[in-house]
Amino acid sequence: MAARPQRGGKARRLATGVAVLAATAGVLSAVNTPAGADTTAAPGHRQDRTVDVQLLSFNDLHGNLEPPQGSSGTVTETQADGTTKSVPAGGVEYLASSLRKARAGHPYSVTAAGGDMIGASPLMSGLFHDEPTIEALNKLDLDVTSVGNHEFDEGRAELKRMQKGGCHPKDGCFEEGKKFKGADFPYLAANVTDEKTGKPLLKPYTVWKHKGVKIGFIGVTLEGTPDIVTAEGVKGLKFHDEVKTVNKYAKELYRKGVKSIVTLIHEGGMPASSSYNYDCDSPGAGSGVSGPIVDIAKHLSPKVDALVTGHTHQAYACTIPDPSGTPRTVTSAASFGRLYTDTTLTYDRRTGDIVRTSVKGADSANHVVNREQPKAADMTSLIGRWNKLAAPIANKPVGYVSAEIPGRGSTAYETPLGDVITDAQLEALSPADKGGAQLSLMNPGGIRSDLAYKASGNEGDGVVTYGEAFTVQPFTNMMNVIDLTGAQLISGLQQQVSGSNENSPKILQVSKGFTYTLDLTKSGKDRIVTDSVKLNGEPIDPAKTYRVAMNEFLAGGGDGFPAFKEGKNKLVGASDLEAFTSYLGAHSSASSPLTPPAADRITVKK
């Protein structure tokens, strides 16, 4: 019989699945039930004591229903001889096939996600306020997800609509005769409360149940969400400490008799290798991963048995000891549906808890969502339906490129696409009546993809469609031009590598004519060589006022740049997407396509 998880009044059939890797049961190995075995035999048999529950998970889908383009649509795989290769991956047609194949034959399987399912989405989903993605996730049989920061891009009311359904308050229903039904699965937001009432915005946790097995899921987003989302998106909400929140609800679940607990947390780490199959437990448990999730994992209550993480778009499957020293699985499946994680949770029916012993290597692993397998027909139909609605807008050519222009997929601090975008913004806002901008700055997180050369449809190689441009700049942030003194501008540059950004630098993209040196041999704000900061060859004068273009998110201090909130004489211009598409149209043609810039404005000293 299929499992029926608790869903606040909504119950639906769970597809079952097969665990790819067997769990290690340690001291209870003698009483372990073999993977896939039926555990419904008469009570009293030793084999009945434990059962393997398959946990399938992914994170940071960001509405990527179609296979992502460029490097955003590949994963790096380490081969047996130590070399690496790039493997095409992702696309919800293939993700559905992968998950369904993984579940086949296993009676205990639950699918969970670590947030950012929606937001910063390609045009096909973003144009329709991500209704297509929620519909796809329902078809994927997703059981539960935490919220991520991007779930708040359009504000709390829109997030609740994603959960409960209903047509968009302004744009209405997108398909004649159809009303958006909302998510079949619960969105969890344990650490997000209403400022006035103090009550959680959404459910803090849910309990998955099947044949006597009970597993609690607690969902949180990073406490710093307000720093990376527009102020309007989080208005009236308070975001709390992740560890304190999870520990609070873990106790509550224990009091209710739920002793097997998984935390879904939209915060993550950085593995030492970019390969999805890198062993981050070598030479020791969790030694190959760093970042915020490590400290969080070390302080979360031992009552929590596993962590599904996200946010950093990295791939890892590690074991980080909990406060009692017991190994605990911590996973992340990169982003955009390119990977899924298969974790085996060995459930002890007598204690109601997960058996956690030495789980290194055998308990959890990431798997490629490869594009060589058959597509899921229902997802193909879904994509075709929504693409038909989006086609008149999405397929319009807006420019031409001679080669791929790396953006999101680049590992460099300054990216070629970052140069194109800032140049576009400067050109759009430099006229006196448009703001008189002298330079432009762009937050790297706002560049969501590469600008691919290979055709995504029938437009031909090198043709940039509106849909592809939208995928790069999906937020439609309005551009601002503000007055900043030279001192404030330099302070903003220093905030790239200090304060909240010290441990994970956010290097702004800069327009032509603006140059400086980033010295990584130093620490904190000293990494910015102040006397190297120049505009058109002239040193920045701390006392002089400059007109600086940037999107409204950055101008509001987003991404840890409070210096920019001090800007004066703000002028609001066109959207970032409009500036980008106008630039492509003005600077490229079929006979003279745009070439990738050199990306040589920031000199990096290592």
Side-chain angles (χ1 to χ4, degrees), residues 36-355:
D38 187 356
T39 60
T40 57
H45 288 260
R46 289 175 62 82
Q47 281 190 327
D48 294 336
R49 178 162 175 180
T50 63
V51 59
D52 286 345
V53 178
Q54 181 191 50
L55 171 63
L56 299 176
S57 58
F58 57 97
N59 51 275
D60 294 274
L61 181 64
H62 289 289
N64 279 265
L65 303 184
E66 296 179 288
Q69 286 195 288
S71 59
S72 295
T74 64
V75 293
T76 300
E77 181 178 77
T78 299
Q79 306 302 295
D81 62 0
T83 61
T84 61
K85 74 173 184 178
S86 183
V87 181
V92 75
E93 295 160 296
Y94 303 106
L95 179 60
S97 293
S98 292
L99 293 178
R100 290 164 185 171
K101 183 178 180 180
R103 293 177 188 133
H106 196 293
Y108 296 86
S109 183
V110 58
T111 304
D116 275 7
M117 296 294 98
I118 59 175
S121 304
L123 184 71
M124 194 193 76
S125 187
L127 187 63
F128 305 107
H129 300 280
D130 280 315
E131 289 183 18
T133 296
I134 297 297
E135 181 184 347
L137 292 171
N138 288 343
K139 290 179 179 293
L140 277 178
D141 287 330
L142 181 64
D143 290 297
V144 58
T145 183
S146 68
V147 294
N149 54 287
H150 282 285
E151 263 80 19
F152 295 91
D153 283 349
E154 295 192 52
R156 67 156 79 183
E158 182 64 2
L159 174 55
K160 286 189 173 182
R161 188 178 77 89
M162 292 293 101
Q163 179 71 85
K164 297 180 180 180
C167 296
H168 192 270
K170 292 184 179 179
D171 294 339
C173 297
F174 297 113
E175 295 182 286
E176 187 176 351
K178 290 185 179 181
K179 182 179 179 181
F180 176 55
K181 295 180 180 180
D184 288 347
F185 51 89
Y187 259 113
L188 304 182
N191 66 330
V192 185
T193 60
D194 186 289
E195 284 184 345
K196 293 181 179 179
T197 67
K199 295 181 179 180
L201 175 68
L202 298 169
K203 292 175 65 173
Y205 60 80
T206 192
V207 180
W208 178 84
K209 300 177 181 178
H210 182 50
K211 292 184 180 179
V213 173
K214 295 187 296 183
I215 300 178
F217 289 87
I218 303 170
V220 296
T221 186
L222 70 156
E223 184 182 8
T225 291
D227 297 327
I228 53 177
V229 174
T230 60
E232 191 63 28
V234 294
K235 186 177 181 180
L237 299 175
K238 189 171 183 180
F239 292 75
H240 303 270
D241 179 84
E242 304 96 334
V243 172
K244 291 180 180 178
T245 301
V246 171
N247 289 351
K248 167 189 171 182
Y249 286 113
K251 288 181 180 179
E252 185 171 316
L253 283 168
Y254 255 60
R255 288 197 300 268
K256 292 184 175 183
V258 180
K259 297 183 179 180
S260 295
I261 300 172
V262 175
T263 290
L264 309 175
I265 176 169
H266 193 69
E267 180 60 289
M270 298 297 294
S273 169
S274 61
S275 292
Y276 81 89
N277 55 343
Y278 164 71
D279 182 3
C280 61
D281 282 341
S282 177
S287 61
V289 67
S290 60
I293 199 61
V294 176
D295 188 58
I296 290 173
K298 288 180 178 178
H299 289 87
L300 281 184
S301 168
K303 291 182 174 65
V304 175
D305 297 297
L307 282 71
V308 173
T309 75
H311 188 55
T312 58
H313 291 201
Q314 302 298 310
Y316 47 85
C318 308
T319 54
I320 300 175
D322 68 19
S324 71
T326 305
R328 179 164 55 190
T329 300
V330 180
T331 69
S332 174
S335 62
F336 305 156
R338 294 173 292 166
L339 300 173
Y340 72 91
T341 313
D342 190 329
T343 301
T344 302
L345 303 174
T346 301
Y347 184 90
D348 187 332
R349 290 184 178 276
R350 183 178 301 177
T351 65
D353 206 350
I354 299 298
V355 178

Side-chain angles (χ1 to χ4, degrees), residues 580-592:
F580 184 45
T581 55
S582 296
Y583 184 86
L584 291 172
H587 292 271
S588 69
S589 65
S591 60
S592 181

Side-chain angles (χ1 to χ4, degrees), residues 71-72 404-417 449-450 599:
S71 59
S72 295
E404 179 172 307
I405 304 181
R408 185 75 175 188
S410 173
T411 58
Y413 285 122
E414 179 188 353
T415 69
L417 189 51
S449 182
D450 303 323

